Amino acid sequence: MDHFMRVAIDEARQGLAEGGIPIGSVLVHRGVLLGRGRNRRVQLGSAVLHGEIDALDNAGRHEASVYRESVLYTTLSPCAMCSGAILLFGIPKVVIGENQTFMGEEALLRSRGVEVDVVQSPECIDMMQAFIAASPALWHEDIGK
């Protein structure tokens, strides 16, 4: 498995251990990890702190050209909010751990020229399936259903 996806999975596991939703993400520029994050809505009482948003925030501010040369790794298919951030910053590639438990806005990303690579990691699938089974109400709150 790719090193950066492993880091994203580690973030997801840390989020789960904290009582949160197990979704992790990292932003990588030219092979250098700029920021890592996890869904921390529960931990921080946030309405918007999904894993991708946390990773972007933790990466700090960069020139637009940096985002246009970066790759975002995320353990789960990005929702509409996170896909919007990917498009806003012009991130050209997203590597997704899995989209079996949740299909985000991959079609939108592809339609706007973003390269989307879904790896269908058994580890990511198992982690989300177990979480959804154990905490369906929290999961539905997070995805707005």
Side-chain angles (χ1 to χ4, degrees):
M1 175 174 296
D2 182 286
H3 166 71
F4 295 116
M5 182 56 72
R6 170 62 40 213
V7 175
I9 291 170
D10 290 346
E11 284 290 325
R13 291 203 178 285
Q14 185 172 347
L16 183 62
E18 295 167 347
I21 299 161
I23 302 168
S25 185
V26 298
L27 182 67
V28 177
H29 178 253
R30 295 184 177 179
V32 176
L33 192 148
L34 295 180
R36 57 193 293 164
R38 58 192 171 277
N39 185 310
R40 295 194 298 159
R41 291 183 67 249
V42 172
Q43 299 92 311
L44 298 180
S46 170
V48 297
L49 206 51
H50 282 191
E52 299 90 335
I53 303 301
D54 194 37
L56 286 165
D57 193 40
N58 289 333
R61 183 176 171 200
H62 295 278
E63 293 182 10
S65 61
V66 171
Y67 299 107
R68 290 193 300 262
E69 297 175 341
S70 292
V71 178
L72 184 81
Y73 291 76
T74 182
T75 58
L76 186 65
S77 187
C79 72
M81 176 180 67
C82 295
S83 294
I86 291 163
L87 294 175
L88 177 68
F89 288 103
I91 297 168
K93 182 175 180 178
V94 179
V95 179
I96 299 169
E98 66 104 347
N99 64 7
Q100 291 184 16
T101 59
F102 176 76
M103 173 59 77
E105 300 296 327
E106 295 174 28
L108 171 64
L109 292 172
R110 286 186 178 104
S111 77
R112 298 282 296 272
V114 176
E115 180 183 346
V116 177
D117 181 15
V118 183
V119 298
Q120 300 299 16
S121 158
E123 188 173 1
C124 291
I125 295 166
D126 292 346
M127 183 168 35
M128 282 309 300
Q129 284 177 340
F131 173 77
I132 292 167
S135 303
L138 181 56
W139 170 240
H140 290 298
E141 171 195 320
D142 191 68
I143 60 169
K145 293 195 178 199

